[in-house]
């Protein structure tokens, strides 16, 4: 997946963890490392808990990642050496199950922790190792988003048509090989139950509240809405653009991805599609624009929490993981259906200036990084001790 902002700016140092040391013989497995999106920030946080753990992954491009990740022992698959693989890795989906099963983990590992939205959960753990899958989601293009991706055609759509059934059979078997399933939200936990018939412990991923900060006192917001997203089909960026076009509403769209050109063509005179930006620039947008529009049904949704950490209210589709973070009437509002009419009506009702920025910040702090580290550490200790999953 594409990254939504560039990583050419220095990052703020993480908070000093306050937990006791955890087992050293840990292996981390992540689908791919091709840019900094929500999953990669989760991985970076996990490396604070497990600084000696090797990170096994299918594809690796260090120039798109932070120093904190690149300092780790990254062990990519042989597929990572394919020239310009970051441009066509989606086409390799039918080959990825075998590739992830071919990853060779050190045989002395006590714990294998996979962070997965695709095939990482199917890694073969060494004999005797405890295997925990931390799910960002089951593969969306095999289940709830299958029709969305298939309708777009191209090689990805054709591949799902040809190999989808086989991939689903592999995916079901892979999920059951692990000892425990964890999930990033109750929304994802329900999907894990529906797709795999497995229970899942919920541990919310972290917002980097020490990086995403409110603006200085007295700062004024620009009369412009903001949308921050990877530009991929299920994010429904075109819905927000259509509503902004219809209402002649100033809207700035930030993010990179395969739909960038198409969305720029859809944008009317009041809409700017700026593409990927630096993190410093992203924070400036959060601090200075009027409110965030969020039209996707997300598994969790870190972007609304980043916005709220900067004191920005959120107008979001009332579905998915965002129902567990945004508080209607306190930190923002919801629109009920993913339609242009519904979003336009909500935009006409919504008054961002009635939302208290300090309430947004307080809500984001409840999902902070230290809370995540503490919950992961407690979960690992429980699980290794034979406690509940």
């Amino acid at each position: 997946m594409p990254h939504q902002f560039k990583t050419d700016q220095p990052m703020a140092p993480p908070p000093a963890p306050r937990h006791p040391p955890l087992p050293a013989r840990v292996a981390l497995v992540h689908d791919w490392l091709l840019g900094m999106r929500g999953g990669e920030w989760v991985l970076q946080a996990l490396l604070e808990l497990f600084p000696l753990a090797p990170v096994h992954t299918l594809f690796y491009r260090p120039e798109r990642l932070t120093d904190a990740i690149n300092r780790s022992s990254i062990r990519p698959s042989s597929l990572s050496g394919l020239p310009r693989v970051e441009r066509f890795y989606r086409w390799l989906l039918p080959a990825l199950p075998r590739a992830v099963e071919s990853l060779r983990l050190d045989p002395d590992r006590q714990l294998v922790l996979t962070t997965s939205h695709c095939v990482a959960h199917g890694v073969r753990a060494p004999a005797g190792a405890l295997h925990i899958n931390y799910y960002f989601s089951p593969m969306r293009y095999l289940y709830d988003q299958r029709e969305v991706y298939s309708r777009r055609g191209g090689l990805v759509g054709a591949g799902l048509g040809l190999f989808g059934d086989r991939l689903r059979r592999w995916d079901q078997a892979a999920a059951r090989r692990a000892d425990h399933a964890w999930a990033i939200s109750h929304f994802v936990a329900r999907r894990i139950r529906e797709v795999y018939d497995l229970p899942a412990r919920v541990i919310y991923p972290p917002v980097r509240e020490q990086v995403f900060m409110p603006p200085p006192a007295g700062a004024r917001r620009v009369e412009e809405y903001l949308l921050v997203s990877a530009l991929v089909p299920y994010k429904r960026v075109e819905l927000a653009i259509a509503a902004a076009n219809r209402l002649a509403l100033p809207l700035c769209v930030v993010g990179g991805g395969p739909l960038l050109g198409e969305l720029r063509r859809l944008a009317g005179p009041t809409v700017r599609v700026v593409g990927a930006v630096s993190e410093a620039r992203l924070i400036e947008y959060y601090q200075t624009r009027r409110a965030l529009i969020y039209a996707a049904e997300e598994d969790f949704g870190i972007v609304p929490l980043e916005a709220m950490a900067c004191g920005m209210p959120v107008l979001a589709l009332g579905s998915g993981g965002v129902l567990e973070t945004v508080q209607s009437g306190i930190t923002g509002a919801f629109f009920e259906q993913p339609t242009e009419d519904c979003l336009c009506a909500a935009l006409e009702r919504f008054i961002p200036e009635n939302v208290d920025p300090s309430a947004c910040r307080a809500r984001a702090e409840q999902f902070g990084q230290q809370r995540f580290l503490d919950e992961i550490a407690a979960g690992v200790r429980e699980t290794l001790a034979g406690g509940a999953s």
Side-chain angles (χ1 to χ4, degrees):
M1 290 291 184
H3 52 302
Q4 68 194 27
F5 53 82
K6 303 170 186 175
T7 55
D8 56 356
Q9 299 291 324
M11 302 296 172
R18 58 173 183 254
H19 48 75
L22 288 166
R25 299 196 310 277
V26 176
L28 300 174
V29 185
H30 193 77
D31 286 304
W32 46 74
L33 292 170
L34 295 175
M36 295 303 298
R37 291 184 59 202
E40 286 68 50
W41 293 115
V42 168
L43 177 65
Q44 179 167 304
L46 290 173
L47 287 167
E48 291 186 42
L49 286 175
F50 310 112
L52 301 180
V55 179
H56 300 264
T57 191
L58 294 176
F59 311 112
Y60 175 47
R61 289 296 179 265
E63 68 278 7
R64 296 184 170 201
L65 303 165
T66 61
D67 289 343
I69 290 179
N70 286 329
R71 282 194 298 267
S72 304
S73 173
I74 309 295
R75 302 182 185 179
S77 74
S78 59
L79 293 178
S80 188
L82 294 173
R84 299 192 175 188
V85 71
E86 65 275 12
R87 294 175 179 259
F88 62 84
Y89 68 98
R90 297 176 186 84
W91 304 349
L92 299 176
L93 180 61
L96 298 188
R98 178 171 293 184
V100 81
E101 289 181 339
S102 298
L103 294 175
R104 291 290 173 257
L105 279 57
D106 296 333
D108 66 342
R109 297 298 92 177
Q110 183 181 7
L111 171 69
V112 175
L113 179 57
T114 54
T115 47
S116 181
H117 72 276
C118 189
V119 296
H121 71 142
V123 72
R124 298 281 186 178
L130 192 73
H131 184 182
I132 299 171
N133 280 326
Y134 185 48
Y135 282 100
F136 303 127
S137 174
M139 272 194 265
R140 302 198 71 162
Y141 22 87
L142 292 186
Y143 301 104
D144 62 307
Q145 293 293 326
R146 179 182 180 185
E147 291 186 4
V148 173
Y149 282 87
S150 296
R151 279 199 306 268
R152 296 197 63 84
L155 289 173
V156 174
L160 289 174
L162 289 172
F163 301 105
D165 289 342
R166 190 182 78 186
L167 286 168
R168 273 185 291 278
R169 287 194 296 272
W170 176 88
D171 187 63
Q172 294 284 326
R176 287 171 173 76
R177 287 203 297 260
D179 299 291
H180 300 278
W182 293 357
I184 62 171
S185 66
H186 291 283
F187 179 67
V188 170
R190 288 192 293 273
R191 189 182 297 141
I192 290 169
R193 172 71 76 179
E194 292 167 3
V195 170
Y196 302 133
D197 195 24
L198 295 173
R201 177 181 190 148
V202 174
I203 299 179
Y204 290 123
V207 61
R208 292 174 298 138
E209 81 282 10
Q210 76 281 7
V211 173
F212 294 93
M213 299 289 293
R220 296 176 63 86
R221 291 195 177 268
V222 176
E223 192 70 17
E224 184 177 51
Y225 281 85
L226 179 68
L227 187 149
V228 177
S229 177
L231 305 183
V232 294
Y234 80 92
K235 298 287 189 176
R236 297 195 182 100
V237 179
E238 73 284 352
L239 173 61
I241 291 175
N245 287 344
R246 179 165 149 186
L247 298 176
L249 191 77
L251 173 66
C252 177
V253 177
V254 172
L259 301 186
L260 178 61
E262 178 180 329
L263 294 170
R264 280 179 169 160
R265 289 188 291 273
L266 291 175
T270 65
V271 177
R272 300 184 300 130
V273 182
V274 300
V277 300
S278 69
E279 183 165 86
R281 184 65 172 153
L282 177 65
I283 292 169
E284 181 185 346
Y285 280 127
Y286 282 142
Q287 292 177 338
T288 59
R289 267 52 189 180
R290 191 177 179 203
L292 182 80
I293 298 175
Y294 205 68
E297 181 185 77
E298 275 292 3
D299 305 310
F300 176 67
I302 199 65
V303 164
L305 282 171
E306 291 175 352
M308 289 190 290
C310 295
M312 173 180 271
V314 177
L315 177 63
L317 176 67
S319 181
V322 74
L323 291 173
E324 301 172 45
T325 57
V326 175
Q327 298 168 300
S328 181
I330 301 174
T331 66
F334 297 114
F335 62 100
E336 297 306 315
Q337 299 294 328
T339 66
E340 184 180 331
D341 286 346
C342 193
L343 177 53
C344 285
L347 284 164
E348 291 177 325
R349 292 191 306 268
F350 186 45
I351 305 175
E353 292 73 21
N354 289 346
V355 174
D356 183 356
S358 64
C360 295
R361 174 68 188 183
R363 180 60 170 167
E365 288 176 343
Q366 295 176 4
F367 295 84
Q369 183 137 318
Q370 191 61 58
R371 183 271 324 159
F372 172 75
L373 297 175
D374 290 344
E375 290 185 15
I376 289 287
V380 167
R381 289 195 192 91
E382 274 183 37
T383 306
L384 288 173
S389 64

